[in-house]
Amino acid sequence: QVQLVESGGGLVQAGGSLRLSCVASGRTLRTYAMGWFRQAPGKEREFVAAIIWSGGSTYQSDSVKGRFTISRENAMNTVYLQMNSLKPEDTAVYYCAAGTGQPLGVKNAYGYWGQGTQVTVSS
């Protein structure tokens, strides 16, 4: 089992930045991919970014490429999502996920989820 706890959400003005953190505990993460997804009211949960734990390769959706960066800190079992140049359309609950990540952008590829953290971007 893997337990995931997100933090770092909040209210920010358009153009601002936030950094989300996801601390993982439980089973070793070496074989897992870690992902960030988000869900806005009335919309489907969508892929934001993912990182392969072993090797560190990263992937982002087109909507956040160039603005969001996913990274990891092995010693702390923590994955981060640095979000810059935030837009009102980035407003959503952001979820951390762990799984096989095959394929990376599909939520069904992740078997473990955090409780989510709210990000609100005002215009």
Side-chain angles (χ1 to χ4, degrees), residues 10 20-22 40 43-44 47 49-50 61 65 73 81 84 86 97-98 101 108-109 119:
L20 306 184
S21 300
C22 173
K43 294 188 176 181
E44 294 288 321
F47 171 74
S61 68
K65 198 168 291 184
E73 187 170 359
L81 185 68
N84 299 328
L86 282 160
N108 289 345
V119 171

Side-chain angles (χ1 to χ4, degrees), residues 70-100:
I70 187 170
S71 62
R72 77 196 193 295
E73 187 170 359
N74 286 5
M76 301 297 291
N77 278 353
T78 301
V79 174
Y80 303 100
L81 185 68
Q82 178 66 44
M83 305 186 295
N84 299 328
S85 302
L86 282 160
K87 304 175 182 180
E89 51 264 43
D90 295 318
T91 296
V93 177
Y94 283 70
Y95 296 91
C96 177
T100 63

Side-chain angles (χ1 to χ4, degrees), residues 35-37 45-50 59-61 101-110 113:
W36 285 97
F37 287 74
R45 191 170 297 189
E46 66 172 357
F47 171 74
V48 176
Y59 307 85
Q60 296 84 29
S61 68
Q102 295 178 357
L104 284 172
V106 176
K107 57 182 183 288
N108 289 345
Y110 298 83
W113 293 84

Side-chain angles (χ1 to χ4, degrees), residues 24-55:
S25 60
R27 186 178 173 180
T28 178
L29 300 173
R30 300 294 180 195
T31 59
Y32 281 83
M34 300 290 293
W36 285 97
F37 287 74
R38 65 186 182 186
Q39 188 166 16
K43 294 188 176 181
E44 294 288 321
R45 191 170 297 189
E46 66 172 357
F47 171 74
V48 176
I51 187 166
I52 305 300
W53 198 260
S54 175

